[in-house]
Amino acid sequence: MGRAPCCDKANVKKGPWSPEEDAKLKDYIEKFGTGGLKRCGKSCRLRWLNYLRPNIKHGEFSDEEDRIICSLYDSIGSRWSIIAGQLPGRTDNDIKNYWNTKLKKKLMGNIITNTPNLNIINQKKFTNNNFNPMFQNHHYPSSLSSPSSLLSHGVLPPSSSSYPITMSFSEGCSNVNNNTLILMQNYHQHHHQVVKDNSTLLVFGNDETIDRQQQQPASCSSDGSGTITQITNQVKLEDNRQNYGGFYSNQVVNHNQEDDQAKVLLMEEQKPSSATTGVNTGVLWGQNGQNTTPAGGTTTSLLDNYGLEEIKQLISSNYSFDETKAEEKDMTK
DNA sequence: AATGGACCCAACCGCCCAGGT
DNA sequence: CACCTGGGCGGTTGGGTCCAT
């Protein structure tokens, strides 16, 4: 037997709360608890919890709050109530909205603006000759496999302002290995045209990002897996999308003849389905906290190496991260 | 000034679970 | 044990606002 409705839907008011209703609810709760309103109990509860109850914080989130949210999101995923528990005055709904509408984008902006050497990149496009060594050889521990973890471990400072950059990775970047950071201009397909987006993808490369024999760029999904794509002098669209969990890889290569550097992989963000288990979910949309197996190996989240209580302690102890602990744990796998 | 798209966020929906009967 | 109920939670929606054209 299914669950009974929480209220008589025909006889309850819905929609935004009026100031009169707010005052009434507050008054009732202060005097008698809930009752008397033509509101479903659930609605009253939510209104109270998210808006009316004392000491609710509204307005801007601080950098410190950002860090806490990012760290916990990286560790335990979208368990907003637990995250809210670490932020006095903030509600799970608030944090959820903040994450979905701002923080996620802010993180990407951080990576663009605050990664060392990025100024150079902003002034110069990559070419075969100037491909920034940082992105060729800079390795991060596998546990730092998402923007939020990079932020939460202090790799990136929490302030941000995002702006588009032009970026590509070229045939010259042959030293791409696992956990190498690659930043790419994001494009998307709109009415059969390729449209430049203001956002930027952060992608982890692996050995597959370059066909070493043919020296051709290849697609690289957020989990580091990818396939080889033939370069042409025109934008090439192949509708052979593969779902890598984190992104759809469009298999598009843009070879700009004017400057022989704009070989840009086109990728499109893909919102993960909650049902995507057993696949790596990539950089941006990672289902962290789940022990998933990507195409090219395994990922570890902080939760693999720490318990929830330890994570809380880590947060309060200024985010020091014990690399050896992760490595020890990896050894035992 | 009009309009359409993007963005934000309060509120709703539906599922799960614990506790009471 | 089965059923009922409400709390808790994460995902989603839709209306208001902003902003670019």
Side-chain angles (χ1 to χ4, degrees):
Chain A
M1 188 176 174
R3 176 180 152 68
C6 72
C7 51
D8 174 10
K9 288 185 180 174
N11 199 34
V12 295
K13 189 181 169 187
K14 291 185 176 181
W17 282 68
S18 68
E20 291 75 24
E21 287 176 308
D22 278 349
K24 210 170 179 179
L25 174 60
K26 220 170 173 178
D27 199 40
Y28 268 115
I29 288 173
E30 277 164 10
K31 286 180 183 163
F32 315 110
T34 56
L37 284 165
K38 283 189 177 176
R39 284 279 182 174
C40 144
K42 242 179 161 174
S43 178
C44 291
R45 176 185 158 269
L46 225 57
R47 186 66 177 170
W48 172 255
L49 287 178
N50 289 338
Y51 200 80
L52 296 176
R53 93 186 128 101
N55 304 321
I56 290 286
K57 249 192 238 174
H58 296 288
E60 288 291 297
F61 281 71
S62 67
D63 286 348
E64 183 62 15
E65 286 175 314
D66 283 1
R67 286 179 76 97
I68 292 172
I69 293 168
C70 288
S71 179
L72 281 175
Y73 186 88
D74 178 61
S75 305
I76 62 176
S78 58
R79 291 158 76 177
W80 304 117
S81 57
I82 295 176
I83 296 173
Q86 303 302 310
L87 298 172
R90 300 293 188 184
T91 68
D92 53 354
N93 208 38
D94 233 13
I95 294 167
K96 179 173 56 183
N97 282 331
Y98 180 58
W99 173 265
N100 286 330
T101 59
K102 291 181 182 173
L103 195 52
K104 214 156 58 180
K105 295 168 192 168
K106 197 173 172 180
L107 279 170
M108 296 314 286
N110 272 324
I111 287 161
I112 296 166
T113 57
N114 295 322
T115 304
N117 300 326
L118 208 59
N119 284 339
I120 297 169
I121 296 162
N122 283 328
Q123 291 160 13
K124 255 189 226 172
K125 288 182 180 180
F126 286 157
T127 67
N128 289 353
N129 296 326
N130 75 352
F131 189 84
N132 194 305
M134 173 191 168
F135 295 105
Q136 291 184 20
N137 298 316
H138 195 110
H139 290 233
Y140 291 100
S142 59
S143 53
L144 297 181
S145 59
S146 71
S148 55
S149 61
L150 290 170
L151 180 70
S152 65
H153 291 107
V155 177
L156 304 167
S159 62
S160 81
S161 64
S162 104
Y163 51 88
I165 62 171
T166 302
M167 195 160 293
S168 62
F169 81 90
S170 75
E171 291 176 85
C173 59
S174 55
N175 292 327
V176 177
N177 293 308
N178 280 327
N179 299 325
T180 300
L181 274 176
I182 298 176
L183 290 166
M184 295 191 293
Q185 177 67 55
N186 193 17
Y187 287 72
H188 64 274
Q189 197 182 346
H190 182 66
H191 296 312
H192 307 293
Q193 288 189 323
V194 176
V195 181
K196 192 174 175 180
D197 200 340
N198 279 345
S199 63
T200 303
L201 295 179
L202 179 147
V203 181
F204 285 72
N206 66 4
D207 290 334
E208 291 178 336
T209 49
I210 286 294
D211 181 333
R212 290 173 188 279
Q213 289 184 332
Q214 298 184 39
Q215 285 293 289
Q216 290 175 348
S219 71
C220 174
S221 74
S222 61
D223 65 0
S225 60
T227 53
I228 307 300
T229 304
Q230 183 72 39
I231 304 171
T232 71
N233 288 338
Q234 297 175 335
V235 171
K236 181 184 174 189
L237 288 172
E238 294 174 12
D239 194 21
N240 58 342
R241 295 180 179 185
Q242 288 180 275
N243 182 359
Y244 288 117
F247 299 97
Y248 278 116
S249 173
N250 273 358
Q251 312 294 321
V252 177
V253 173
N254 174 16
H255 185 195
N256 186 337
Q257 281 184 300
E258 190 180 334
D259 47 8
D260 190 28
Q261 72 228 17
K263 304 180 181 70
V264 182
L265 293 180
L266 308 183
M267 305 179 93
E268 185 179 6
E269 291 179 0
Q270 182 245 331
K271 199 173 182 181
S273 151
S274 56
T276 54
T277 55
V279 296
N280 181 37
T281 48
V283 174
L284 187 55
W285 302 104
Q287 290 182 315
N288 297 302
Q290 290 188 16
N291 202 7
T292 58
T293 304
T298 57
T299 57
T300 56
S301 78
L302 279 183
L303 202 59
D304 293 333
N305 307 313
Y306 294 90
L308 187 56
E309 286 309 311
E310 283 181 285
I311 290 166
K312 289 175 184 173
Q313 283 172 18
L314 277 175
I315 292 164
S316 60
S317 64
N318 206 22
Y319 310 95
S320 62
F321 176 68
D322 184 1
E323 288 288 343
T324 58
K325 183 156 186 175
E327 285 163 13
E328 280 168 21
K329 188 80 179 250
D330 281 344
M331 297 281 280
T332 64
K333 284 184 178 174

